[in-house]
């Protein structure tokens, strides 16, 4: 498929993606103007920054509240609720604060506001899968949510979201003992991150693939993951390399 990166709402879209993909989220956010759509995009950037770095939670919360105050219709209300659900998920999974109830409520609110065919639904489905899998331990619900997200991302040719859905479907396959399926999914995730230039996300993709690779290949993959993580100041903070 042709690489397609997340939609941006500004003439600086290319610069924003370049900065974001290299872990310069604050610099990317500063390029955005003050309308409602840009406020939501700014909040998403700073939430992703907090998730990858483990810092900047107050900045992310402030940006999200500004976005929530600026929404104009149900689509934007749903997008803001989806962002809040992800912020609450990130804080919970990184053990900053237990915000599981908030995450579930926010994503439920987003789902109620979105039409079934809304283009924002694949991202929402993916985030619901994250909560089911990482916080609830419900692999069955997570798999179903990831598959819906994956199908939607394929339809939209959203290579960035597909890099995530492949990764998390692979993680469930790995838990099920399906090493071949896990290896395929992790390899696809890595390929898409390289194809789209999501540099800050390549180290975790390498590490995941290493977990289901033969020993010699795994050592090479982990060595490259370590090199990249160091290049991004040990980002993401949740990445562990044996």
């Amino acid at each position: 498929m042709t690489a397609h990166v997340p939609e941006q709402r500004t003439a600086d879209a290319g610069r924003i993606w370049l900065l974001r993909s290299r872990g310069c989220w604050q610099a990317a956010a500063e390029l955005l103007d003050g309308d409602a759509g840009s406020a939501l995009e700014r909040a998403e950037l700073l939430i992703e920054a907090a998730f990858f770095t483990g810092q900047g939670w107050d900045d992310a919360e402030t940006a999200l509240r500004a976005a929530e105050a600026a929404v104009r219709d149900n689509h934007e209300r749903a997008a803001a609720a989806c962002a809040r659900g992800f912020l609450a998920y990130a804080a919970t999974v990184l053990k900053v604060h237990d915000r599981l109830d908030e995450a579930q409520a926010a994503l439920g609110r987003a789902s109620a506001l979105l039409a079934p065919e809304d283009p924002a639904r694949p991202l929402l489905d993916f985030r619901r899968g994250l909560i089911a899998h990482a916080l609830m331990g419900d692999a069955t619900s997570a798999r179903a949510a990831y598959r819906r997200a994956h199908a939607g991302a394929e339809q939209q040719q959203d290579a960035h979201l597909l890099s995530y859905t492949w990764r998390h479907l692979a993680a469930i396959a790995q838990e099920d003992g399906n090493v071949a399926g896990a290896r395929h999914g992790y390899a696809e995730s890595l390929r898409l991150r390289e194809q789209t230039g999501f540099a800050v996300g390549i180290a975790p993709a390498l590490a995941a693939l290493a977990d289901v690779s033969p020993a010699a290949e795994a050592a090479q993959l982990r060595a490259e993951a370590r090199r990249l993580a160091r290049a991004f100041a040990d980002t993401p903070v949740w990445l562990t390399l044996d």
Side-chain angles (χ1 to χ4, degrees):
M1 66 176 289
T2 301
H4 172 69
V5 299
E7 178 185 359
Q8 312 287 339
R9 301 177 177 85
T10 170
D12 286 322
R15 290 176 63 197
I16 289 171
W17 173 251
L18 186 65
L19 289 165
R20 175 187 176 187
S21 67
R22 283 153 178 74
C24 302
W25 294 279
Q26 184 64 51
E30 289 171 359
L31 294 176
L32 293 163
D33 57 33
D35 67 21
S38 293
L40 284 165
E41 191 175 331
R42 176 182 172 82
E44 287 278 7
L45 284 168
L46 296 182
I47 293 167
E48 185 175 83
F51 178 60
F52 270 74
T53 68
Q55 300 176 1
W57 300 99
D58 289 344
D59 288 344
E61 182 68 40
T62 298
L64 180 53
R65 287 180 179 174
E68 289 169 335
V71 295
R72 300 161 298 191
D73 55 34
N74 279 349
H75 178 82
E76 289 178 354
R77 289 185 187 92
C82 186
R84 178 156 294 284
F86 183 57
L87 177 59
Y89 160 81
T92 305
V93 80
L94 293 183
K95 302 186 186 306
V96 179
H97 299 291
D98 184 351
R99 298 171 62 176
L100 172 58
D101 289 346
E102 179 186 355
Q104 291 177 300
L107 296 189
R109 187 163 63 251
S111 183
L113 289 166
L114 283 182
E117 301 305 318
D118 192 289
R121 191 163 284 278
L123 178 61
L124 172 61
D125 284 332
F126 172 68
R127 289 176 173 175
R128 297 185 90 172
L130 289 177
I131 290 173
H133 193 201
L135 302 184
M136 305 296 294
D138 185 349
T140 300
S141 295
R143 182 186 290 106
Y146 290 151
R147 284 177 174 168
R148 290 194 302 271
H150 190 83
E154 283 189 323
Q155 184 176 16
Q156 295 175 18
Q157 296 189 342
D158 185 342
H160 182 65
L161 181 55
L162 278 170
S163 79
Y164 278 101
T165 56
W166 272 120
R167 173 185 172 87
H168 287 272
L169 284 167
I172 291 179
Q174 184 179 359
E175 290 169 7
D176 290 344
N178 180 2
V179 176
R183 183 172 171 81
H184 175 70
Y186 288 140
E188 283 297 296
S189 177
L190 175 59
R191 180 184 67 80
L192 289 167
R193 291 188 174 190
E194 291 175 337
Q195 186 179 8
T196 57
F198 189 50
V200 75
I202 290 176
L206 288 164
L209 182 57
D211 286 344
V212 291
S213 297
E217 182 182 348
Q220 293 178 341
L221 291 167
R222 289 194 182 96
E224 179 63 10
R226 288 189 192 94
R227 185 189 69 78
L228 282 171
R230 284 196 299 269
F232 289 106
D234 295 322
T235 301
V237 294
W238 36 263
L239 179 61
T240 56
L241 293 164
D242 299 329

